[in-house]
Amino acid sequence: MTRRLTALAHEAVRAVLRAGDLAVDATAGNGHDTVCLADAVGPTGRVIAFDTQPAAIHATRERLRASGNEKQVQLVQACHSTLGEVLPEDAELRAAMFNLGYLPGSNKLAITKASTTLAALAGCVERLERGGIVSVMAYRGHPGGEEEAASIAGAIGELDADRFSVKRHDAAGTGPVLWLATRL
Ligand code: SAH
């Protein structure tokens, strides 16, 4: 199910991204989303990818090198809530991806937290251009996961329905949830 939702998120961002666009990966992790975004915006585009963990930044850099997409990506080893320091207020974002929780195989210490996730999400949403998309994948099976998913549901529920179209995909039970919010 996680694989299916991940594939759905990739498909959705690929459908709106064009060569030369600007995109954000809020949680670089092992770099799969970053490579997807970098591939879609091409060498004339730009991707800014955040992660607090050096190991994630390293893994993402290696994956970008292997795919030949290194040039168009800026890797930022910092909390995604610092987005406003990296991106100007008037930057026009075409896509932003969030893949929350912790890095599989890690010590589970660098886990996303609702307060900073919501700050980063707000920063992306306010810079999203018409036709742009934000995808948020949240995991409910780990401690704090349900709470984080609930606060994201709240924030996404508050988006102006005249300006955003939201689709929610749920795995069963405490499986992942994917939100896809498109700016109309
Ligand atoms: N749970 C997903 C993988 C998520 S990886 C799965 O199972 O496939 C999430 C990444 O977010 C980790 O690499 C972690 O280091 C990073 N992260 C945690 N808090 C962060 C923050 N505040 N800002 C940016 N990245 C963060």
Side-chain angles (χ1 to χ4, degrees), residues 134-138 149 152-153 156 166-168 177-181:
V134 176
S135 89
V136 184
M137 179 94 139
I152 290 154
I156 290 198
V166 178
K167 287 200 183 103
R168 174 179 169 146
V177 193
L178 172 68
W179 286 270
L180 297 170

Side-chain angles (χ1 to χ4, degrees), residues 140-181:
R140 297 174 290 189
H142 59 80
E146 283 280 9
E147 291 78 5
E148 186 179 38
S151 31
I152 290 154
I156 290 198
E158 279 170 21
L159 292 177
D160 180 354
D162 290 335
R163 290 173 63 228
F164 291 91
S165 153
V166 178
K167 287 200 183 103
R168 174 179 169 146
H169 303 267
D170 268 81
T174 57
V177 193
L178 172 68
W179 286 270
L180 297 170

Side-chain angles (χ1 to χ4, degrees), residues 61-129:
R61 183 173 290 120
E62 289 305 306
R63 201 172 290 280
L64 287 165
R65 260 188 206 144
S67 68
N69 284 311
E70 213 185 347
K71 178 181 155 277
Q72 61 264 38
V73 180
Q74 182 184 349
L75 293 169
V76 181
Q77 194 194 321
C79 175
H80 39 222
S81 64
T82 64
L83 184 113
E85 291 162 31
V86 184
L87 272 184
E89 224 162 280
D90 59 356
E92 297 238 302
L93 258 187
R94 186 73 178 172
M97 297 189 85
F98 291 73
N99 190 7
L100 303 174
Y102 56 83
L103 195 60
S106 72
N107 57 14
K108 305 188 182 173
L109 290 177
I111 189 157
T112 54
K113 291 194 183 61
S115 58
T116 41
T117 300
L118 291 185
L121 184 59
C124 289
V125 162
E126 74 199 22
R127 290 173 176 82
L128 203 62
E129 65 179 33

